[in-house]
Every structure is written in structure tokens, then in C-alpha cells.
Amino acid sequence: MISQADNPELNRVPEVTIDFWLIKIMAVTMGETAADYLAVNLGLGLTVTSLIMSGILIVALVLQFAQKRYVPWAYWLAVVLISIVGTLVTDNLVDNFGVRLETTTIVFSVSLALTFMAWYASEKTLSIHTIFTTRREIFYWLAILFTFSLGTAAGDLAAERFDMGYLTTGLIFGGMIAAITLAWFLLGLNGILAFWLAYILTRPLGASFGDLLSQPVEYGGMGFGVTVTSLTFLGCIVVIVLYMSLKRLIDEDEQALLD
């Protein structure tokens, strides 16, 4: 008999592949620019945008939790929306409530650490390969939300408050991810630890390059604007998700023939 832990088909989140990291970086990049587009370009403001997007995110998470297995469109829809909401949470704290970026970075770091501690105390694992219960999935998505909010705060802190600029900040976080990858390949760094460290750092990486592409030249960006940047990455995400969905259907048909 195959146990849940031995059957990847019962896992509710995707396997960690190149496709996973590619679409994740695109999702976090879009989350940064889409939040700006909705709040500023459409004139909705941070409060209204946050309320609308939080409501849509709740609907998306209900759909995701209803799947009981990994379904590409449902999972990545939730990731894109939680990326936007995570950005808005940080932006609200900083812009509407005057909380310093240093403070938000520390608060979200502690919140994420506490989430991991509660997750491990409850489940004795932080593995993303065995998300097959509702409780584990709740911990998973809560951790994801805090990684996005933390990444936004840390990225803005480095790029704006420390005046490193978007490109330099992106390269720094990219170098940190590369170092973690090498440590995993060559030095035997624990795979779960490596995954979560890289997952956290891809947020400020994507946000920095999103700002680099979208912000005006006079502010250190390339001037493409949030509309073009958001739609470009959204289009890429849709194409990759369609590819993932089609590939999954083909694999399932082939497996059915073999069975």
C-alpha cells in the first residue's frame, strides 16, 4: 500500500523544478508592479486596492484548498495574488501607518520564524513535499504570505532606504541565492533550509528587477512603466501555467495507459 508521503500525486504543491523557480520569480516581479498599477495608476489607493485584492485572494485560496492535490492554475493563481497582497501589506504599513522599513523587516522576519516554529511543532517537518493535509497547507500559505511581505520590506529597505538602487539590490539578492544553491549542491546544505532561504530571497530579487523595469529613469529605473511590465510578466506566467497544465494532462494519460 502506498502511503501519502510516498505518493507525490497527493501533494498539493508543485515539485521544485526549474519551471517552479522561473514562474515564481515572474510572479513576485508581477506582484510588485501590479500592486503599484492598481493602487497608483488606476487611482484606487492602497486601502481600496488592499481590500479588493484580499477578497479575491480569499476566493483563490478557497479554490486552491478545494483541489486536494496540485492543480497548476489554482496554485499559481493563489501565488500571484498572495504576491500582490503581500506587497500591499508592507506598503500599507509603511505608507499609510508610517512604520519604518527596518521595523517591518524585523516584524515579518519574526512572524515567519514563529510560523515555521509552530509548523514544525505541529507536524515535525517543514517539507514542501508532503503538503497533503489542510493543516499543513494552512502553514504553507501563511509562510508564503510572510515571505512575500518580508521580501518586499527587505528589498525596499536595501534599494531605497540604503540607497543601493534597484539593479545593485537585485544583483545582491541574486548572488545570495546563487550562494545558497552552491551550498546545497557542493556542501550538503539541508534541502528544506535551502528551499525556504531561496524562496524568501526570490521575493526581493523579483521586486528589485520589477522596480528596475517599471520605474522612471530619473528614479533609477528603465521606464517601461508598471502597465507594460505587469502585462508582460502576466503573459509569461499564463503561457508557462498552460504548458504545465498540458504536460500534467499528458503525463496522466500516459500513466493511465500504463496502468
Side-chain angles (χ1 to χ4, degrees):
M1 182 177 178
I2 299 176
S3 68
Q4 287 181 313
D6 295 328
N7 188 357
E9 287 299 316
L10 297 176
N11 198 25
R12 301 181 188 180
V13 302
E15 291 297 310
V16 181
T17 61
I18 293 177
D19 290 344
F20 173 91
W21 289 115
L22 180 61
I23 195 171
K24 201 272 181 177
I25 292 174
M26 289 184 178
V28 298
T29 303
M30 181 192 161
E32 179 73 16
T33 58
D36 290 342
Y37 172 75
L38 294 169
V40 179
N41 290 52
L42 289 187
L44 297 178
L46 277 175
T47 302
V48 174
T49 301
S50 300
L51 292 173
I52 293 173
M53 297 311 299
S54 295
I56 297 174
L57 172 61
I58 291 171
V59 174
L61 286 174
V62 169
L63 290 173
Q64 164 62 24
F65 275 79
Q67 302 307 313
K68 304 305 180 185
R69 66 169 190 155
Y70 169 58
V71 177
W73 70 265
Y75 176 85
W76 290 109
L77 174 62
V79 169
V80 169
L81 290 170
I82 208 168
S83 175
I84 296 172
V85 171
T87 299
L88 290 168
V89 169
T90 298
D91 288 347
N92 268 286
L93 289 172
V94 175
D95 296 338
N96 284 346
F97 296 98
V99 181
R100 292 170 58 85
L101 284 169
E102 294 89 341
T103 302
T104 56
T105 300
I106 293 172
V107 168
F108 287 127
S109 296
V110 172
S111 299
L112 181 59
L114 291 174
T115 300
F116 283 139
M117 290 171 62
W119 183 354
Y120 190 82
S122 173
E123 304 297 319
K124 307 306 178 187
T125 180
L126 299 178
S127 174
I128 48 88
H129 301 296
T130 56
I131 309 296
F132 47 67
T133 68
T134 298
R135 184 164 59 184
R136 289 188 182 185
E137 193 171 7
I138 290 173
F139 280 124
Y140 176 86
W141 287 108
L142 186 60
I144 297 302
L145 175 61
F146 284 135
T147 64
F148 283 136
S149 295
L150 170 59
T152 299
D156 289 348
L157 178 65
E160 298 172 10
R161 187 63 56 83
F162 294 160
D163 200 27
M164 293 182 180
Y166 302 124
L167 179 59
T168 301
T169 300
L171 292 175
I172 289 173
F173 284 111
M176 294 170 69
I177 293 171
I180 292 168
T181 303
L182 288 175
W184 176 62
F185 270 116
L186 303 178
L187 303 177
L189 179 65
N190 179 270
I192 296 174
L193 175 61
F195 169 81
W196 283 113
L197 287 176
Y199 200 99
I200 294 168
L201 293 173
T202 52
R203 175 53 177 163
L205 171 69
S208 297
F209 282 109
D211 285 334
L212 175 66
L213 292 169
S214 64
Q215 293 301 310
V217 175
E218 58 267 30
Y219 295 136
M222 298 178 67
F224 290 108
V226 293
T227 304
V228 172
T229 304
S230 298
L231 290 177
T232 298
F233 282 99
L234 176 60
C236 293
I237 291 169
V238 170
V239 170
I240 297 175
V241 170
L242 287 174
Y243 163 76
M244 288 177 170
S245 300
L246 181 60
K247 183 176 182 297
R248 187 175 182 86
L249 287 174
I250 293 173
D251 290 344
E252 288 177 350
D253 288 342
E254 291 178 348
Q255 186 62 45
L257 289 175
L258 291 174
D259 292 341

